[in-house]
Amino acid sequence: MKLDGKSAWTAIRDATVQDNGPFIIAGSDLAIFDGDWKLIQRSNGGLSLFNLRIDPSESNNALAQNIEVGDRLKKILTETAIGFPSVGQRRGPAPSQSSSRRPNPR
């Protein structure tokens, strides 16, 4: 899957839902959203799959019951993440470790 950017401004401005296909959020973990589904690949390699329509609190990992959905989303995530720089790596010191932080003078 080729990385591209799509503006969400229309959906935000008009408070409408628009389906632009799967989208990925990257940090130390990766998450892909597609329709009702969300697959999370944790930095430790663990996978979790949630159907957000029936489980919005993400309390039930549905991966074992939906192997085909999980495999499809993992494939997209894996192919796409190749283009991400430093996925899964810390991007600088944690806020509590930053040398530029100064105590609150209160």
Side-chain angles (χ1 to χ4, degrees):
M1 172 185 275
K2 182 181 175 188
L3 290 177
D4 66 3
K6 294 184 180 180
S7 174
W9 175 243
T10 303
I12 294 167
R13 182 191 64 215
D14 299 339
T16 60
V17 176
Q18 63 188 74
D19 183 9
N20 289 329
F23 69 94
I24 296 173
I25 297 176
S28 59
D29 297 337
L30 295 172
I32 182 169
F33 297 80
D34 187 26
D36 294 335
W37 295 102
K38 175 183 179 182
L39 178 76
I40 303 171
Q41 181 177 356
R42 309 218 184 274
S43 57
N44 67 5
L47 290 174
S48 300
L49 179 69
F50 303 101
N51 184 317
L52 299 175
R53 183 177 42 81
I54 61 174
D55 184 16
S57 64
E58 300 178 11
S59 58
N60 178 36
N61 185 351
L63 188 60
Q65 298 81 25
N66 298 279
I67 294 170
E68 289 179 11
V69 174
D71 287 346
R72 179 178 60 81
L73 294 179
K74 173 117 171 55
K75 182 176 189 255
I76 294 169
L77 189 63
T78 301
E79 290 172 354
T80 304
I82 292 170
F84 291 170
S86 304
V87 168
Q89 297 177 8
R90 184 174 288 274
R91 291 166 174 79
S96 63
Q97 298 172 350
S98 173
S99 60
S100 64
R101 287 184 56 112
R102 300 181 198 277
N104 191 340
R106 288 189 206 191

